[in-house]
Amino acid sequence: FLNHVALWWGLEVGVLSSMANRKILITGGGTGGHLFPALAIGEEIQRRDPDVKIHYVGSVFGLEAKVFPVKDVWHTLLPIRGLQRGLSITSIARNLLLPFRIIRSLIKTNKLLNEFIPEVIVGTGGYASALPLYVASKKEKTLPIILQEQNSFPGITTRLFADKAKKICVAFNESENDFNSKTILTGNPIRKGIEDGNRIKGLKQFNFKDNKKTIFLFGGSQGSSYLNKMMSQVVSNIASAGIQVIWQTGDLEFSLYKKMNSNSIRVIPFVNNMDDAYAIADLLICRSGALTLAEITVCGKPSILIPYPYAAGDHQTKNAQSLVNAGAARILFEKSLKSKELLYTVMNLIHNKKELLKMSLASKKLGKPNATNEIVNNIFKVLN
């Protein structure tokens, strides 16, 4: 018996000591939609095992150039940026520089992989993710790749490297049809505690009444010029019907709309406590980015979704449609939307308790609160 215990203990110590020197490269960025999942995954890995070494790769032109130093994480920034789709002089000039940026980034990536030598690479998408995955796939000793796809329509990075990946963690059922058995439905990583908002605290924060319905409009952390414009045309009608409004404009346009602030309308540049804002909201009006939908479904909120029509592959429309199909949301299209239609949709829903409850339950059913844990479970399976 003692021999068996000694043998078991020796094996366990061996496993733990081997994990101490494990190295993981997490690559993704350009936008928050690719960056924040990367950070959430990395934080969960280190929460479980602080000895695992994590190195992040992003772009000098992406949001990560500001976020990585603040987070104080080990990182490398590549001199790469995405292909510019416009026809302006600036866009053309940037595209002419792209081949040189790619060459410089490839050299930097190759050097990093030779020095850091990760045991697994996690790609969360975006132009900052493609080159490290490409270099890794061409190594003599192939490095295991795990992809995390946020959108219902897979991004170009996921499509390019799906065949090379050990596992592909997806957020929507629709994505499963595009790949083989490597695909695992995990959901998208979300901010910790986003579903634990306090209604009483939220009402106090916004100085709102508990007996009135509340609508929350937001266009992401930067705001949406289009959503702001539409809300400015209907917000007085909404408020005059006894409905409270939280309106996050973003910093850039706050000065344009702050004069519309009133007892029933809270015009603010940025909501710091999103969990409490979700907790008091009866109906959301927002875009349909993957991370936004991950949060609102975990919180079980009914929504009116207005997809950004110029997103790559029109993925926001596809994201929104998945919620509509489940009965969790209504969809309105920017290119044809009139203010009267928005107002009618809002008023038709906000006073329909039965429909709001039905949408809320459908939304909650779609939520994946354990997404980060499941993704990290799969990373550790590949590591081991």
Side-chain angles (χ1 to χ4, degrees), residues 351-367:
H351 293 303
N352 190 335
K353 290 183 180 180
K354 185 177 179 181
E355 188 63 19
L356 283 180
L357 178 59
K358 181 181 172 184
M359 292 171 69
S360 180
L361 292 172
S363 178
K364 191 75 174 177
K365 193 174 180 180
L366 292 173

PDB file of all heavy atoms in Angstrom, residues 351-367:
ATOM      1  N   HIS A 351     -44.086  47.603 -22.853  1.00  0.00           N
ATOM      2  CA  HIS A 351     -45.324  47.463 -22.077  1.00  0.00           C
ATOM      3  C   HIS A 351     -45.926  46.061 -22.170  1.00  0.00           C
ATOM      4  O   HIS A 351     -47.008  45.808 -21.642  1.00  0.00           O
ATOM      5  CB  HIS A 351     -46.354  48.486 -22.546  1.00  0.00           C
ATOM      6  CG  HIS A 351     -45.967  49.899 -22.239  1.00  0.00           C
ATOM      7  ND1 HIS A 351     -45.698  50.335 -20.957  1.00  0.00           N
ATOM      8  CD2 HIS A 351     -45.782  50.982 -23.052  1.00  0.00           C
ATOM      9  CE1 HIS A 351     -45.380  51.617 -20.983  1.00  0.00           C
ATOM     10  NE2 HIS A 351     -45.413  52.034 -22.240  1.00  0.00           N
ATOM     11  N   ASN A 352     -45.206  45.139 -22.822  1.00  0.00           N
ATOM     12  CA  ASN A 352     -45.699  43.772 -22.988  1.00  0.00           C
ATOM     13  C   ASN A 352     -44.927  42.848 -22.027  1.00  0.00           C
ATOM     14  O   ASN A 352     -43.914  42.248 -22.390  1.00  0.00           O
ATOM     15  CB  ASN A 352     -45.518  43.326 -24.442  1.00  0.00           C
ATOM     16  CG  ASN A 352     -46.229  42.022 -24.746  1.00  0.00           C
ATOM     17  OD1 ASN A 352     -46.469  41.210 -23.862  1.00  0.00           O
ATOM     18  ND2 ASN A 352     -46.564  41.829 -26.014  1.00  0.00           N
ATOM     19  N   LYS A 353     -45.424  42.744 -20.799  1.00  0.00           N
ATOM     20  CA  LYS A 353     -44.724  41.979 -19.766  1.00  0.00           C
ATOM     21  C   LYS A 353     -44.533  40.517 -20.167  1.00  0.00           C
ATOM     22  O   LYS A 353     -43.473  39.930 -19.934  1.00  0.00           O
ATOM     23  CB  LYS A 353     -45.497  42.046 -18.450  1.00  0.00           C
ATOM     24  CG  LYS A 353     -45.487  43.410 -17.785  1.00  0.00           C
ATOM     25  CD  LYS A 353     -46.223  43.358 -16.450  1.00  0.00           C
ATOM     26  CE  LYS A 353     -46.216  44.718 -15.765  1.00  0.00           C
ATOM     27  NZ  LYS A 353     -46.920  44.689 -14.470  1.00  0.00           N
ATOM     28  N   LYS A 354     -45.546  39.940 -20.772  1.00  0.00           N
ATOM     29  CA  LYS A 354     -45.495  38.531 -21.166  1.00  0.00           C
ATOM     30  C   LYS A 354     -44.393  38.296 -22.196  1.00  0.00           C
ATOM     31  O   LYS A 354     -43.620  37.339 -22.102  1.00  0.00           O
ATOM     32  CB  LYS A 354     -46.850  38.103 -21.719  1.00  0.00           C
ATOM     33  CG  LYS A 354     -46.951  36.620 -22.038  1.00  0.00           C
ATOM     34  CD  LYS A 354     -48.353  36.258 -22.521  1.00  0.00           C
ATOM     35  CE  LYS A 354     -48.432  34.779 -22.873  1.00  0.00           C
ATOM     36  NZ  LYS A 354     -49.794  34.406 -23.361  1.00  0.00           N
ATOM     37  N   GLU A 355     -44.307  39.191 -23.184  1.00  0.00           N
ATOM     38  CA  GLU A 355     -43.306  39.040 -24.239  1.00  0.00           C
ATOM     39  C   GLU A 355     -41.897  39.289 -23.705  1.00  0.00           C
ATOM     40  O   GLU A 355     -40.949  38.583 -24.069  1.00  0.00           O
ATOM     41  CB  GLU A 355     -43.615  39.989 -25.393  1.00  0.00           C
ATOM     42  CG  GLU A 355     -42.742  39.790 -26.627  1.00  0.00           C
ATOM     43  CD  GLU A 355     -42.894  38.426 -27.282  1.00  0.00           C
ATOM     44  OE1 GLU A 355     -43.916  37.747 -27.029  1.00  0.00           O
ATOM     45  OE2 GLU A 355     -41.997  38.025 -28.044  1.00  0.00           O
ATOM     46  N   LEU A 356     -41.749  40.290 -22.835  1.00  0.00           N
ATOM     47  CA  LEU A 356     -40.437  40.572 -22.243  1.00  0.00           C
ATOM     48  C   LEU A 356     -39.946  39.381 -21.432  1.00  0.00           C
ATOM     49  O   LEU A 356     -38.758  39.026 -21.477  1.00  0.00           O
ATOM     50  CB  LEU A 356     -40.500  41.820 -21.360  1.00  0.00           C
ATOM     51  CG  LEU A 356     -40.509  43.180 -22.058  1.00  0.00           C
ATOM     52  CD1 LEU A 356     -40.564  44.300 -21.019  1.00  0.00           C
ATOM     53  CD2 LEU A 356     -39.290  43.365 -22.954  1.00  0.00           C
ATOM     54  N   LEU A 357     -40.839  38.763 -20.683  1.00  0.00           N
ATOM     55  CA  LEU A 357     -40.458  37.599 -19.884  1.00  0.00           C
ATOM     56  C   LEU A 357     -40.049  36.437 -20.780  1.00  0.00           C
ATOM     57  O   LEU A 357     -39.044  35.753 -20.532  1.00  0.00           O
ATOM     58  CB  LEU A 357     -41.621  37.179 -18.983  1.00  0.00           C
ATOM     59  CG  LEU A 357     -41.377  35.924 -18.120  1.00  0.00           C
ATOM     60  CD1 LEU A 357     -40.183  36.123 -17.193  1.00  0.00           C
ATOM     61  CD2 LEU A 357     -42.622  35.561 -17.325  1.00  0.00           C
ATOM     62  N   LYS A 358     -40.814  36.235 -21.840  1.00  0.00           N
ATOM     63  CA  LYS A 358     -40.510  35.168 -22.792  1.00  0.00           C
ATOM     64  C   LYS A 358     -39.136  35.398 -23.430  1.00  0.00           C
ATOM     65  O   LYS A 358     -38.319  34.468 -23.549  1.00  0.00           O
ATOM     66  CB  LYS A 358     -41.593  35.134 -23.869  1.00  0.00           C
ATOM     67  CG  LYS A 358     -41.417  34.053 -24.913  1.00  0.00           C
ATOM     68  CD  LYS A 358     -42.533  34.137 -25.951  1.00  0.00           C
ATOM     69  CE  LYS A 358     -42.295  33.189 -27.119  1.00  0.00           C
ATOM     70  NZ  LYS A 358     -43.340  33.338 -28.171  1.00  0.00           N
ATOM     71  N   MET A 359     -38.846  36.634 -23.840  1.00  0.00           N
ATOM     72  CA  MET A 359     -37.550  36.962 -24.440  1.00  0.00           C
ATOM     73  C   MET A 359     -36.417  36.815 -23.432  1.00  0.00           C
ATOM     74  O   MET A 359     -35.325  36.349 -23.756  1.00  0.00           O
ATOM     75  CB  MET A 359     -37.584  38.385 -25.007  1.00  0.00           C
ATOM     76  CG  MET A 359     -38.501  38.557 -26.204  1.00  0.00           C
ATOM     77  SD  MET A 359     -38.703  40.302 -26.668  1.00  0.00           S
ATOM     78  CE  MET A 359     -37.062  40.676 -27.303  1.00  0.00           C
ATOM     79  N   SER A 360     -36.687  37.225 -22.198  1.00  0.00           N
ATOM     80  CA  SER A 360     -35.678  37.140 -21.146  1.00  0.00           C
ATOM     81  C   SER A 360     -35.275  35.695 -20.874  1.00  0.00           C
ATOM     82  O   SER A 360     -34.083  35.372 -20.759  1.00  0.00           O
ATOM     83  CB  SER A 360     -36.209  37.788 -19.864  1.00  0.00           C
ATOM     84  OG  SER A 360     -35.251  37.708 -18.832  1.00  0.00           O
ATOM     85  N   LEU A 361     -36.261  34.802 -20.799  1.00  0.00           N
ATOM     86  CA  LEU A 361     -35.979  33.385 -20.556  1.00  0.00           C
ATOM     87  C   LEU A 361     -35.210  32.772 -21.728  1.00  0.00           C
ATOM     88  O   LEU A 361     -34.289  31.970 -21.526  1.00  0.00           O
ATOM     89  CB  LEU A 361     -37.287  32.628 -20.327  1.00  0.00           C
ATOM     90  CG  LEU A 361     -38.043  32.964 -19.036  1.00  0.00           C
ATOM     91  CD1 LEU A 361     -39.410  32.284 -19.020  1.00  0.00           C
ATOM     92  CD2 LEU A 361     -37.230  32.565 -17.809  1.00  0.00           C
ATOM     93  N   ALA A 362     -35.592  33.170 -22.946  1.00  0.00           N
ATOM     94  CA  ALA A 362     -34.890  32.671 -24.137  1.00  0.00           C
ATOM     95  C   ALA A 362     -33.451  33.164 -24.168  1.00  0.00           C
ATOM     96  O   ALA A 362     -32.529  32.433 -24.542  1.00  0.00           O
ATOM     97  CB  ALA A 362     -35.626  33.110 -25.396  1.00  0.00           C
ATOM     98  N   SER A 363     -33.256  34.418 -23.759  1.00  0.00           N
ATOM     99  CA  SER A 363     -31.914  35.002 -23.714  1.00  0.00           C
ATOM    100  C   SER A 363     -31.048  34.260 -22.698  1.00  0.00           C
ATOM    101  O   SER A 363     -29.907  33.877 -22.983  1.00  0.00           O
ATOM    102  CB  SER A 363     -32.014  36.488 -23.360  1.00  0.00           C
ATOM    103  OG  SER A 363     -30.736  37.076 -23.271  1.00  0.00           O
ATOM    104  N   LYS A 364     -31.599  34.045 -21.516  1.00  0.00           N
ATOM    105  CA  LYS A 364     -30.857  33.365 -20.444  1.00  0.00           C
ATOM    106  C   LYS A 364     -30.461  31.955 -20.858  1.00  0.00           C
ATOM    107  O   LYS A 364     -29.369  31.465 -20.524  1.00  0.00           O
ATOM    108  CB  LYS A 364     -31.728  33.304 -19.185  1.00  0.00           C
ATOM    109  CG  LYS A 364     -30.991  32.860 -17.929  1.00  0.00           C
ATOM    110  CD  LYS A 364     -30.100  33.969 -17.406  1.00  0.00           C
ATOM    111  CE  LYS A 364     -29.466  33.593 -16.079  1.00  0.00           C
ATOM    112  NZ  LYS A 364     -28.540  34.632 -15.586  1.00  0.00           N
ATOM    113  N   LYS A 365     -31.331  31.309 -21.604  1.00  0.00           N
ATOM    114  CA  LYS A 365     -31.059  29.949 -22.055  1.00  0.00           C
ATOM    115  C   LYS A 365     -29.861  29.892 -22.990  1.00  0.00           C
ATOM    116  O   LYS A 365     -29.147  28.882 -23.063  1.00  0.00           O
ATOM    117  CB  LYS A 365     -32.308  29.396 -22.754  1.00  0.00           C
ATOM    118  CG  LYS A 365     -32.283  27.906 -23.000  1.00  0.00           C
ATOM    119  CD  LYS A 365     -33.601  27.416 -23.560  1.00  0.00           C
ATOM    120  CE  LYS A 365     -33.559  25.907 -23.813  1.00  0.00           C
ATOM    121  NZ  LYS A 365     -34.842  25.416 -24.369  1.00  0.00           N
ATOM    122  N   LEU A 366     -29.628  30.980 -23.732  1.00  0.00           N
ATOM    123  CA  LEU A 366     -28.501  31.040 -24.667  1.00  0.00           C
ATOM    124  C   LEU A 366     -27.178  31.370 -23.973  1.00  0.00           C
ATOM    125  O   LEU A 366     -26.103  31.153 -24.536  1.00  0.00           O
ATOM    126  CB  LEU A 366     -28.764  32.098 -25.747  1.00  0.00           C
ATOM    127  CG  LEU A 366     -29.879  31.814 -26.755  1.00  0.00           C
ATOM    128  CD1 LEU A 366     -30.099  33.042 -27.630  1.00  0.00           C
ATOM    129  CD2 LEU A 366     -29.551  30.597 -27.604  1.00  0.00           C
ATOM    130  N   GLY A 367     -27.264  31.921 -22.767  1.00  0.00           N
ATOM    131  CA  GLY A 367     -26.066  32.383 -22.066  1.00  0.00           C
ATOM    132  C   GLY A 367     -25.110  31.253 -21.702  1.00  0.00           C
ATOM    133  O   GLY A 367     -25.532  30.136 -21.399  1.00  0.00           O
TER     134      GLY A 367
END
